Amino acid sequence: MEDTILVVNCGSSSLKVALFDINLRQLTSALAERIGKSDAFARITGHSRDIPLQSGAGHRDALQALVSAFRELSLLTSPPVAIGHRVVHGGETFREAALIDDSVRQAIEDCAGLAPLHNPVNLTGIDATTELFPDVPQVAVFDTAFHQTLPRHAYLYALPYRFYRDWGVRRYGFHGTSHNFMATETARLLGKAPGETSIISAHLGNGCSITAIRDGISVDTSMGLTPLEGLVMGTRSGDIDPGLFEFLETKDISAESLHRILNNESGLLGLSEKTNDMRTLSELADQGHEPSIVAIEVFCFRLARYISAMMASLRELDALVFTGGIGENSAMVRAKTLSHLHLTGFAIAPSLNRQHGNKTDGRINREDSRFKVMVIPTNEERVIAREALETSGTVSHS
Ligand code: AMP
């Protein structure tokens, strides 16, 4: 019987589950989508057959179905030794991962006002695995925790101070597990101690954020109170002028509609009027589709501005690191972005960029570049598995 760690990531309408061995090698992963809808389905990576889910199946049903399928396929022959849950918002309560007990569960519930679409489903996942595996230690790994080291000047908005004091309105930052992974992975590849490594980490997926990490800790990041602030994303606008709210009222667009527009109908999708998918956009741009060209230009320019902005928080820079679906795979986005930054001295080697980084350390910069530039695949599930092992007190053999 193999010791395993189960990783559970409940999104608002999806569920990702992964299984690792105790040396943090990934054994399998699975995905359920369209949760709560009539056409909900689940699939285990590498298995062509869908796992049937009842119409309207919720996160709990999907988790039970996936765990049963893991058992049937002998991927899970005994209870896991630890379970790690991605939890989106830990507010100011959680600076690191936490072993889940009643008080931690309550604190996650208390943070739900800050992430109403996510924390409640994260709790559903926690309750479902508690039912399935009552004796297994469970650990909450927070998207926000890595950014709790932000200094006050980086996390405060210039709003009436009582908004922060009374309601916790501040910048929290997200994608913390990914940025944390980038910090330790870059240090490993450079042969440095994580606590002595300073990087700018650009996580560019459907959601995008960038973080300045000084001596291993997060000191500035682009997402704020919610994951809407900062970079241009697949369907999210990133930064906008708050004056837009009043202007759009004169156009009869309500706050509720605007919330939906900014989150679901903006970003690459809004600008291109076609798609939020960077791969498709690149193909359209190559064919001369002007709105796709514009969407990519805005995306890259905003990113370049933020790379410069992150430098305000660093004393030195060991590497600029790209990750996420776009960051890892789009040589075009990396090249276009860095073409805006002549003054800062990033020089990339086109051949290394095209192959998404050299084999040994993911480097794409020229030898004469002032700063290293690297491409490093992220693995948030693996970080969650590692944190679950460490926080639950289960010893890793790696
Ligand atoms: P993620 O959320 O990390 O899965 O990233 C999703 C984004 O990565 C989407 O915009 C995809 O189009 C983009 N992506 C994935 N593969 C590629 C690729 N080969 N070239 C460009 N973009 C890609």
Side-chain angles (χ1 to χ4, degrees), residues 21-337:
D21 73 12
I22 200 147
N23 293 313
L24 301 179
R25 273 189 295 265
Q26 187 161 338
L27 302 172
T28 190
S29 64
L31 174 72
E33 281 191 285
R34 304 195 57 75
I35 288 188
K37 304 263 167 44
S38 56
D39 52 350
F41 70 94
R43 190 171 292 153
I44 297 181
T45 311
H47 292 259
S48 52
R49 192 173 55 90
D50 277 1
I51 295 157
L53 292 179
Q54 286 195 338
S55 170
H59 287 86
R60 185 168 166 274
D61 309 309
L63 240 170
Q64 284 175 343
L66 283 173
V67 167
S68 302
F70 284 171
R71 284 182 172 139
E72 273 168 35
L73 294 166
S74 301
L75 293 164
L76 192 65
T77 49
S78 57
V81 293
I83 301 173
H85 290 270
R86 174 183 179 223
V87 178
V88 166
H89 222 303
E92 289 189 327
T93 311
F94 295 102
R95 300 180 73 86
E96 53 191 22
L99 191 60
I100 298 170
D101 58 15
D102 288 348
S103 69
V104 167
R105 195 194 175 288
Q106 184 59 49
I108 295 171
E109 210 169 319
D110 293 343
C111 294
L114 294 165
L117 294 181
H118 291 101
N119 276 29
V121 291
N122 299 153
L123 283 169
T124 306
I126 290 169
D127 293 343
T129 49
T130 308
E131 266 175 43
L132 285 164
F133 305 108
D135 300 323
V136 177
Q138 307 206 43
V139 173
V141 181
F142 300 91
D143 265 28
T144 50
F146 183 62
H147 300 300
Q148 276 297 299
T149 47
L150 251 58
R152 195 169 44 186
H153 61 248
Y155 73 66
L156 279 179
Y157 291 113
L159 290 168
Y161 191 72
R162 64 174 191 282
F163 283 21
Y164 168 61
R165 193 179 47 227
D166 298 346
W167 300 326
V169 173
R170 52 159 283 179
R171 312 185 60 258
Y172 288 95
F174 297 86
H175 287 148
T177 42
S178 174
H179 292 300
N180 186 6
F181 179 73
M182 286 303 116
T184 49
E185 194 59 9
T186 309
R188 188 184 70 77
L189 291 167
L190 296 179
K192 294 188 73 168
E196 292 168 7
T197 305
S198 294
I199 66 168
I200 295 174
S201 164
H203 177 113
L204 311 176
N206 201 32
C208 300
S209 71
I210 186 162
T211 295
I213 298 169
R214 189 167 80 200
D215 299 331
I217 66 169
S218 173
V219 284
D220 192 12
T221 192
S222 58
M223 284 177 168
L225 176 70
T226 73
L228 187 53
E229 190 179 339
L231 301 175
V232 175
M233 312 184 208
T235 60
R236 282 173 255 169
S237 61
D239 295 341
I240 48 147
D241 179 350
L244 178 69
F245 284 74
E246 197 187 359
F247 175 79
L248 287 182
E249 264 178 32
T250 68
K251 307 285 175 203
D252 283 335
I253 294 187
S254 65
E256 195 186 340
S257 315
L258 185 55
H259 176 78
R260 192 192 64 246
I261 293 167
L262 294 177
N263 277 287
N264 303 329
E265 298 170 16
S266 298
L268 294 172
L269 173 65
L271 282 166
S272 69
E273 298 186 311
K274 276 277 184 200
T275 175
N276 60 331
D277 192 298
M278 183 58 86
R279 220 172 340 198
T280 314
L281 277 181
S282 313
E283 286 161 16
L284 287 168
D286 287 345
Q287 293 159 19
H289 182 251
E290 195 59 30
S292 299
I293 295 171
V294 171
I296 294 169
E297 276 174 4
V298 177
F299 181 94
C300 294
F301 179 64
R302 177 86 56 88
L303 176 58
R305 274 173 64 185
Y306 261 96
I307 292 170
S308 307
M310 290 296 132
M311 293 205 169
S313 294
L314 298 177
R315 290 198 203 97
E316 56 191 345
L317 179 63
D318 290 300
L320 164 67
V321 187
F322 287 97
T323 194
I326 299 171
E328 290 165 34
N329 297 302
S330 179
M332 177 271 296
V333 164
R334 295 189 298 257
K336 264 194 196 311
T337 301

Side-chain angles (χ1 to χ4, degrees), residues 382-393:
R382 189 161 181 264
V383 182
I384 294 173
R386 187 183 70 191
E387 302 249 358
L389 262 190
E390 288 171 1
T391 309
S392 65

